[in-house]
Amino acid sequence: MVQRISRIVDNEAEAEDLAQDTFVKLWHRQPREDDSVGLLYRTAHNLALDHLRAQKVRQRHQEGAQAEEQDDAHPSPEAIAATLERWGYLMAELDALPARTRRIFLLNRVEGETYAAIAERLGVSVSTVEKEMMRAMRACRQWQRRHDQE
């Protein structure tokens, strides 16, 4: 069984694990009258193919993450300028908010404070913090929509 699986996955250790997985899977299955040795081989074959598919997905994901890291590690001057410009527009949008709304937003989103902690710190109710956060988030969504259209 291990040799047969090893020809598919091209790795003896993985073949041993898949052979064990095959037996465990069949052990937990309700036996039927029409079960045969073919079921054992078909199950092993299918598990080996599933393993290869999963390996390809992991590899593609890893390659995508590495490419993304490389892009992030060395952004172009144009990308840096565009990001700084967008950041400036967002900060202008936040500066246009009432002072308490802006402070609540920054305490939550930048400093990671909870609504309850913000309410206690500012001496307001949690409901007030929630309403101010909704106002700030609405402004951010409007800003995002405007910049997505450009």
Side-chain angles (χ1 to χ4, degrees):
M1 179 66 59
V2 172
Q3 290 175 348
R4 192 175 194 138
I5 297 170
S6 184
R7 280 180 275 186
I8 297 170
V9 297
D10 197 31
N11 183 315
E12 186 80 21
E14 288 176 359
E16 289 173 0
D17 289 344
L18 289 168
Q20 183 175 359
D21 291 347
T22 300
F23 285 108
V24 168
K25 184 172 186 164
L26 292 176
W27 181 266
H28 291 290
R29 183 179 176 276
Q30 281 290 346
R32 298 185 192 145
E33 286 185 33
D34 60 340
D35 285 351
S36 67
V37 177
L39 176 65
L40 176 67
Y41 288 112
R42 174 56 51 198
T43 302
H45 183 81
N46 289 341
L47 286 176
L49 293 178
D50 288 347
H51 173 76
L52 290 177
R53 281 189 213 102
Q55 198 173 34
K56 285 180 184 178
V57 168
R58 282 191 298 275
Q59 184 178 2
R60 278 191 304 245
H61 177 66
Q62 189 175 29
E63 288 169 358
Q66 287 172 349
E68 197 173 290
E69 283 177 12
Q70 288 174 352
D71 291 345
D72 290 345
H74 304 291
S76 69
E78 295 83 11
I80 293 171
T83 300
L84 289 174
E85 183 178 12
R86 284 176 55 99
W87 180 255
Y89 290 140
L90 177 58
M91 291 310 296
E93 189 80 30
L94 292 176
D95 285 341
L97 292 172
R100 184 172 72 182
T101 303
R102 182 176 52 253
R103 184 161 185 217
I104 288 171
F105 177 80
L106 293 174
L107 284 171
N108 178 256
R109 297 300 170 148
V110 175
E111 295 184 26
E113 293 282 334
T114 63
Y115 287 5
I118 295 169
E120 185 177 321
R121 184 172 178 173
L122 300 180
V124 298
S125 69
V126 174
S127 175
T128 299
V129 172
E130 291 170 347
K131 289 174 186 170
E132 297 292 346
M133 278 300 294
M134 288 187 333
R135 175 189 280 180
M137 293 306 295
R138 190 176 318 113
C140 289
R141 280 192 301 276
Q142 290 170 349
W143 171 84
Q144 182 70 48
R145 277 194 289 272
R146 280 196 307 273
H147 287 282
D148 284 347
Q149 293 171 355
E150 293 176 358

